[in-house]
Amino acid sequence: MSSKVERQKRKALLLSQIQQQRLDLTSTRRDWLEVTRAYDRGWNTLLSLRSWILVGSSIMAVRTIRHPNMLVRWAKRGFSVWSAWRLVKATIRQQQLRG
């Protein structure tokens, strides 16, 4: 009889551990969803704009074929903006390290 009682105690212990693990997982899931909420919202926004991005890229493709210099001009501008952004970011980071 003692082995049956021990098994029941062991079963009760395991069931309580499982319940605690489920509660921990629920809590961790809630925390994770809270942390990633901004990324999820951005991703959903991007997915909702997917059809408009497709239309815009099609229009840009047609315009690029008709006016190839425009693509080069915008590529240079984009590269300039990107380089300026990196420079500003590096300068701000450097100033924060000094201060």
Side-chain angles (χ1 to χ4, degrees):
M1 272 302 188
S2 67
S3 65
K4 188 173 186 178
V5 172
E6 288 176 18
R7 274 190 281 150
Q8 287 177 345
K9 285 182 182 179
R10 176 80 174 142
K11 182 179 176 182
L13 177 67
L14 289 173
L15 287 174
S16 68
Q17 286 178 349
I18 290 170
Q19 182 62 27
Q20 185 59 45
Q21 289 173 350
R22 286 179 179 164
L23 292 172
D24 292 343
L25 282 173
T26 302
S27 173
T28 305
R29 176 183 175 269
R30 194 174 327 129
D31 294 342
W32 178 257
L33 288 175
E34 184 178 324
V35 169
T36 60
R37 182 175 294 135
Y39 299 111
D40 291 338
R41 190 171 45 246
W43 179 252
N44 287 333
T45 301
L46 182 68
L47 288 179
S48 69
L49 296 175
R50 189 172 37 186
S51 61
W52 290 105
I53 292 171
L54 181 64
V55 170
S57 64
S58 300
I59 291 171
M60 285 301 296
V62 169
R63 288 192 61 116
T64 300
I65 291 171
R66 298 184 91 187
H67 307 286
N69 290 337
M70 184 183 72
L71 177 66
V72 173
R73 189 177 332 128
W74 278 104
K76 286 180 182 178
R77 289 177 184 169
F79 182 72
S80 298
V81 168
W82 178 68
S83 296
W85 172 250
R86 285 185 51 206
L87 179 65
V88 168
K89 224 166 66 169
T91 304
I92 290 172
R93 188 175 301 131
Q94 191 176 35
Q95 290 297 324
Q96 288 177 346
L97 290 176
R98 287 184 185 172

